[in-house]
Amino acid sequence: MDLSGDMNPSRFSDAAAAIAASVSTVIDGKPDAVRSALVCLLAEGHLLVEDVPGVGKTMLARALAASVDATVRRIQFTPDLLPGDVTGVSVFNPVEREFEFKRGAIFANIVIADEINRSSPKTQSALLEAMEEVQVTVDGHTHNLPKPFLVVATQNPLEMEGTYALPEAQRDRFMMRVSMGYPDQKSEQLMLRQRDAVNPLTTLAPVVTSAQVSTLITWARSVHVSPAVEEYAVSLAHATRHHSDLRLGASPRATLQLVRAAKVWAALDGRHFVIPDDIAALLVPVFAHRLIPTRAAGAGRARGSTDAVTVILERIAASTRVPIAPRQ
């Protein structure tokens, strides 16, 4: 796809639609999940895909990676995975008589962290610096990661055997969390026919380069956010910090990522400005995984807690004043 010349909302949405269409040829009947992955890529965030095994979590990550002509690495997180396997290690070279840094799997434009919650919290923490600062520090030396940089992590529900709960600091690094859900009957029947003979991933070809993705990212940053919309986003975040049913509210990082995601959301719709509906549409995907309900509100169960947080956020959105554009 040719993105040379001046970028505008129409060209941005066309390029993004091409990426989404490519991913959708593999992920049947899940347009919301595909759009969320695209928003994270273009808003310089990271995506956490949580659901039961076998619903296409890893397939979504691999399809997005295959649609972008960029370096891709996949890390299968297991209980015996070490932090050095992720970030890299220093190895002594007897010929040069000095230590050499051997890059880990994190050095790629798109990193697929498969079943991230099957590794220990120590290994999970190896991603913290990389996801926030796009760099890793090993033995006192800092190494920059390639840009654009996106981590697409998949995880199984926390109550499943052999999993570790993601620490709060780790969850806060992810811009959005989405669930794939089961496909509808028609999509599942279509999947049976199409994938019986060939893996659809093998037919995917990149539709944009990493340089073009960087161009889209840069343009998305320029999408206008009015002071009233900024105030609306901050009001939603503050409401979570003072809600009686929440033990932990949204962090300032969450507010920042909500606005960044809203910019891309608006650009995908062909607009160069954010409206309150963009903020409201992203409130649950961006905030829900960061919040912790009280024991009474969450009923003490992981899935129940997720549902409780969603209900709380919906109530907060309904009770927060929405800015109205002045009449011209």
Side-chain angles (χ1 to χ4, degrees), residues 149-225:
F149 178 67
L150 169 71
V151 174
V152 181
T154 70
Q155 77 165 355
N156 296 324
L158 302 183
E159 68 269 14
M160 298 194 71
E161 184 178 354
T163 59
Y164 300 83
L166 289 183
E168 288 79 3
Q170 185 79 60
R171 294 201 306 267
D172 199 42
R173 294 302 199 278
F174 288 99
M175 174 174 281
M176 299 174 67
R177 181 192 64 187
V178 299
S179 295
M180 298 294 293
Y182 292 109
D184 57 48
Q185 187 170 347
K186 289 184 178 180
S187 296
E188 193 164 1
Q189 289 175 341
L190 180 63
M191 179 185 68
L192 293 176
R193 290 194 299 269
Q194 292 180 337
R195 301 182 188 180
D196 186 49
V198 63
N199 184 344
L201 280 172
T202 60
T203 63
L204 281 187
V207 295
V208 293
T209 66
S210 59
Q212 290 173 330
V213 171
S214 296
T215 299
L216 295 174
I217 290 172
T218 300
W219 188 86
R221 292 182 193 147
S222 67
V223 172
H224 177 68
V225 183

Side-chain angles (χ1 to χ4, degrees), residues 17-240:
I19 302 174
S22 176
V23 177
S24 297
T25 60
V26 176
I27 306 299
D28 300 314
K30 298 296 176 183
D32 293 340
V34 172
R35 185 179 176 110
S36 296
L38 189 56
V39 168
C40 286
L41 173 65
L42 300 180
E44 297 183 289
H46 306 287
L47 179 66
L48 178 63
V49 187
E50 180 185 271
D51 218 316
V52 297
V55 294
K57 302 187 300 297
T58 305
M59 189 71 76
L60 171 63
R62 293 178 63 188
L64 178 63
S67 301
V68 178
D69 187 13
T71 56
V72 180
R73 298 291 293 273
R74 180 177 179 269
I75 309 173
Q76 182 63 54
F77 279 72
T78 56
D80 60 347
L81 188 73
L82 299 176
D85 298 328
V86 177
T87 60
V89 295
S90 294
V91 179
F92 184 72
N93 186 333
V95 177
E96 301 293 337
R97 303 183 66 84
E98 62 182 15
F99 283 91
E100 294 180 351
F101 178 66
K102 300 295 183 182
R103 294 184 171 188
I106 197 69
F107 283 84
N109 293 116
I110 299 177
V111 177
I112 303 172
D114 207 6
E115 295 189 301
I116 187 174
N117 61 335
R118 289 200 180 277
S119 66
S120 67
K122 181 178 181 180
T123 301
Q124 293 174 12
S125 67
L127 290 171
L128 291 176
E129 181 185 11
M131 294 173 67
E132 180 66 16
E133 302 176 36
V134 198
Q135 66 181 30
V136 296
T137 302
V138 178
D139 294 335
H141 297 282
T142 299
H143 307 272
N144 294 323
L145 297 173
K147 293 184 179 181
F149 178 67
L150 169 71
V151 174
V152 181
T154 70
Q155 77 165 355
N156 296 324
L158 302 183
E159 68 269 14
M160 298 194 71
E161 184 178 354
T163 59
Y164 300 83
L166 289 183
E168 288 79 3
Q170 185 79 60
R171 294 201 306 267
D172 199 42
R173 294 302 199 278
F174 288 99
M175 174 174 281
M176 299 174 67
R177 181 192 64 187
V178 299
S179 295
M180 298 294 293
Y182 292 109
D184 57 48
Q185 187 170 347
K186 289 184 178 180
S187 296
E188 193 164 1
Q189 289 175 341
L190 180 63
M191 179 185 68
L192 293 176
R193 290 194 299 269
Q194 292 180 337
R195 301 182 188 180
D196 186 49
V198 63
N199 184 344
L201 280 172
T202 60
T203 63
L204 281 187
V207 295
V208 293
T209 66
S210 59
Q212 290 173 330
V213 171
S214 296
T215 299
L216 295 174
I217 290 172
T218 300
W219 188 86
R221 292 182 193 147
S222 67
V223 172
H224 177 68
V225 183
S226 69
V229 172
E230 290 178 341
E231 182 180 356
Y232 178 54
V234 171
S235 296
L236 292 170
H238 274 258
T240 67

Side-chain angles (χ1 to χ4, degrees), residues 244-248 292-302 304-305 308 312:
S244 59
D245 288 335
L246 293 175
R247 290 194 292 118
L248 179 66
I292 300 179
T294 61
R295 183 173 295 275
R301 296 180 59 185
S305 297
I312 292 170

Side-chain angles (χ1 to χ4, degrees), residues 228-229 276 321-327:
V229 172
R321 189 183 70 85
V322 179
I324 300 175
R327 293 183 179 179

